Amino acid sequence: MAVVAIVGRPNVGKSTLFNRICRTRHALVDDRPGVTRDRLSAPAEYADRRFIVMDTGGFTDPDAGTFAEETRRQVLLALEEADAVIFLADARTGLHPGDRELVDLLRMSQKPVFYAVNKVDGREQSVHVAEFYALGVEKIYPVSAAHGLGVADLLDAVTAALPAAWKDDEAEENPQIRVAVVGRPNTGKSTLVNALLGEERVIVSPIPGTTRDAVDTPVEALGRRFLLIDTAGIRRKGRTREKLEKLSVVKALESIDRSHVVVLMVDATEGVTDQDLHVGGYVQERGRGCLIAVNKWDAVPKDPKRLRLFLEDVRDRFRFLPHAPILTLSALQKKRVSRVFPMVLDIFDQFNKRVSTGAVNRALLNVTAKHDPPMVSGRRLKFYYATQASTRPPTFVVFCNDPEKVHFSYERFLVNQFREAFGMDKTPVRLVFRERSRRKEAGPFEATLPRSPRRRP
């Protein structure tokens, strides 16, 4: 798929243009310069052409700030990956020496480059566009990313220079598996993502809060397509004070919503904290597949008894996620990182599994025969038949005589039995109880039950 990178100095509106082209609010936008640090990618479609748009951090002097050198390196990597480049400048601040430096780099890249000047909202700003011709370029596109002015003309030129359109992913048999890496700040999420990719794709630093946006990176492994989503650390509500930090947490939670499988990072040197359980609870509420990754395992003393008790404590505290496998690893040393993709794929295959109605009803018959439904208010619960309604996660509708009387303990028993019967030990399973419609004919499950003979009058 063709990649279009947006580059420019800090605070010229790259993330605003990125969101405008992708028609999303994927990238954080703020008046403060340097908000974007990593490369952000998202699919876009324009004039029947589909491509990937890549947002980058502000290109600046490497000594300009804490993450300036890393951000600059990410911009250079984006230029290598891109098939076309949009250079963006700011009409309000005018031509800047940093613009000239970046344009010189773009000329050496030998990639198609489209020069745009942003924040041209009217005649007052349009008069300043002419000075950017001093860069020695033939064509400049005045745009307003905030209001959409001139963006269509820019995209007409960009898409005309892109390679042929790519095949629609939705038509493929093997869908892309979205994997969100979440956890508290500084648990090693970005380090794990880089280890899985085999490159320094996202900025890593011991400073908590380095990652702000949710960074999407496609990758192929085990013959399947994955989308790795690196997220900002999720702090407790009382500790998120700055506006940007709160927005980063919102983006991280949204990443859980759009993922199939969540890799929940836990710091082995600190053990399971209440915030880890809070994040796990959010994953459980959203019904996502989950892998609990205990990172920094190389820093834990190698006492067999202590390690066993530690893992037992992890399983006990995450008992509300009984289906989530636990993997100990060291993202920094790349120990057992190779096991992540196979485990995620196993979780997703169960998460996406569908069972025939006949198999579901046979399992329900065996379960109720093994353990009779309880008596509730002097009336025995009756389960007539069941069917799988959906996947991701597997959801089963069970028809009975009194849905409101099904106790949570018996529901949990049914879930565990379904997991065992259908090979779904690594995915959440949902049950929905409904009252059978009042019809004279029996349902498919009820018809399999023996009928008691009628008494003659």
Side-chain angles (χ1 to χ4, degrees):
M1 192 189 315
V3 177
V4 178
I6 305 174
V7 300
R9 292 186 301 104
N11 212 31
V12 296
K14 297 182 297 298
S15 295
T16 305
L17 180 61
F18 173 87
N19 289 341
R20 170 70 61 179
I21 296 174
C22 298
R23 301 177 185 178
T24 65
R25 295 183 180 179
H26 187 61
L28 291 178
V29 176
D30 192 84
D31 292 334
R32 186 189 312 178
V35 171
T36 303
R37 292 168 176 168
D38 296 292
R39 287 173 285 162
L40 307 181
S41 301
E45 182 174 353
Y46 180 80
D48 296 327
R49 300 299 300 275
R50 298 186 179 186
F51 51 95
I52 291 291
V53 184
M54 185 181 295
D55 186 19
T56 62
F59 188 83
T60 186
D61 187 274
D63 301 323
T66 307
F67 297 102
E69 184 177 355
E70 291 88 347
T71 302
R72 185 185 178 97
R73 182 170 56 83
Q74 293 291 324
V75 173
L76 296 177
L77 290 172
L79 292 179
E80 293 181 8
E81 295 179 15
D83 296 288
V85 180
I86 296 176
F87 165 83
L88 198 64
D90 187 342
R92 295 178 183 176
T93 59
L95 186 60
H96 189 277
D99 294 326
R100 296 181 183 274
E101 181 186 0
L102 182 52
V103 169
D104 289 340
L105 283 174
L106 294 176
R107 286 197 177 100
M108 291 187 293
S109 69
Q110 297 183 344
K111 301 284 180 71
V113 181
F114 301 88
Y115 298 90
V117 177
N118 191 28
K119 305 180 184 179
V120 182
D121 303 319
R123 292 182 179 178
E124 184 177 344
Q125 291 81 29
S126 62
V127 297
H128 299 292
V129 174
E131 69 175 299
F132 288 91
Y133 281 101
L135 295 171
V137 299
E138 294 181 1
K139 174 70 174 177
I140 291 179
Y141 297 88
V143 300
S144 172
H147 301 98
L149 301 176
V151 175
D153 293 336
L154 173 63
L155 291 179
D156 285 338
V158 171
T159 53
L162 295 180
W166 55 282
K167 186 172 64 175
D168 192 352
D169 287 342
E170 297 300 326
E172 297 184 10
E173 294 182 0
N174 295 328
Q176 186 182 57
I177 303 171
R178 297 189 293 273
V179 183
V181 183
V182 304
R184 294 182 295 109
N186 216 25
T187 55
K189 298 181 294 298
S190 297
T191 306
L192 177 61
V193 169
N194 286 339
L196 291 171
L197 296 172
E199 63 170 314
E200 297 298 314
R201 178 64 178 79
V202 288
I203 296 175
V204 176
S205 167
I207 302 174
T210 300
T211 303
R212 287 173 170 171
D213 290 281
V215 183
D216 295 4
T217 307
V219 61
E220 290 191 11
L222 306 176
R224 302 291 292 271
R225 297 181 301 111
F226 297 85
L227 181 71
L228 290 179
I229 309 171
D230 185 22
T231 64
I234 303 175
R235 297 179 186 266
R236 294 203 309 263
K237 285 186 177 180
R239 294 193 176 184
T240 50
R241 296 182 177 89
E242 292 188 10
K243 171 188 168 185
L244 281 177
E245 189 174 7
K246 292 180 180 178
L247 290 174
S248 297
V249 171
V250 170
K251 291 291 183 183
L253 296 178
E254 288 178 352
S255 298
I256 296 176
D257 289 338
R258 63 189 177 96
S259 69
H260 297 132
V261 179
V262 173
V263 177
L264 175 55
M265 300 287 287
V266 175
D267 190 334
T269 62
E270 298 181 11
V272 180
T273 67
D274 290 341
Q275 183 62 6
D276 293 327
L277 300 178
H278 176 73
V279 177
Y282 194 89
V283 175
Q284 189 265 344
E285 288 174 5
R286 293 302 187 268
R288 297 296 180 259
C290 183
L291 170 63
I292 301 173
V294 183
N295 192 28
K296 307 181 185 179
W297 193 246
D298 56 316
V300 177
K302 299 303 180 284
D303 180 359
K305 182 178 180 181
R306 186 174 178 179
L307 296 178
R308 178 175 57 82
L309 292 176
F310 181 90
L311 291 177
E312 288 178 356
D313 179 66
V314 173
R315 173 51 66 203
D316 179 66
R317 300 203 67 187
F318 282 106
R319 56 186 175 273
F320 56 89
L321 291 171
H323 54 274
I326 299 174
L327 174 64
T328 59
L329 55 85
S330 171
L332 186 62
Q333 302 296 330
K334 296 182 174 60
K335 293 182 179 178
R336 287 185 287 277
V337 170
S338 61
R339 299 184 185 180
V340 172
F341 277 134
M343 295 182 74
V344 166
L345 182 57
D346 194 15
I347 293 170
F348 176 78
D349 286 343
Q350 293 188 18
F351 187 70
N352 198 41
K353 191 172 186 178
R354 182 170 289 279
V355 184
S356 67
T357 299
V360 174
N361 282 303
R362 284 191 296 272
L364 182 59
L365 177 60
N366 293 334
V367 169
T368 53
K370 182 188 303 184
H371 192 296
D372 288 336
M375 297 283 293
V376 180
S377 302
R379 183 185 181 192
R380 185 171 297 280
L381 283 172
K382 293 182 180 180
F383 295 98
Y384 301 114
Y385 55 97
T387 186
Q388 184 175 358
S390 63
T391 60
R392 303 184 187 182
T395 302
F396 300 89
V397 179
V398 182
F399 293 88
C400 58
N401 59 341
D402 198 342
E404 296 181 359
K405 298 296 184 181
V406 180
H407 196 266
F408 74 88
S409 60
Y410 196 80
E411 177 182 357
R412 184 171 54 194
F413 167 74
L414 287 177
V415 168
N416 291 335
Q417 293 298 310
F418 276 20
R419 278 208 180 100
E420 182 179 349
F422 307 138
M424 296 179 174
D425 59 312
K426 296 182 178 66
T427 180
V429 173
R430 286 178 173 174
L431 295 186
V432 178
F433 297 97
R434 290 182 183 171
E435 186 175 5
R436 186 190 60 173
S437 58
R438 299 184 179 278
R439 297 181 300 176
K440 292 183 179 180
E441 64 273 19
F445 177 67
E446 187 183 18
T448 64
L449 299 178
R451 294 181 180 273
S452 57
R454 294 184 179 180
R455 293 183 180 180
R456 294 185 178 181

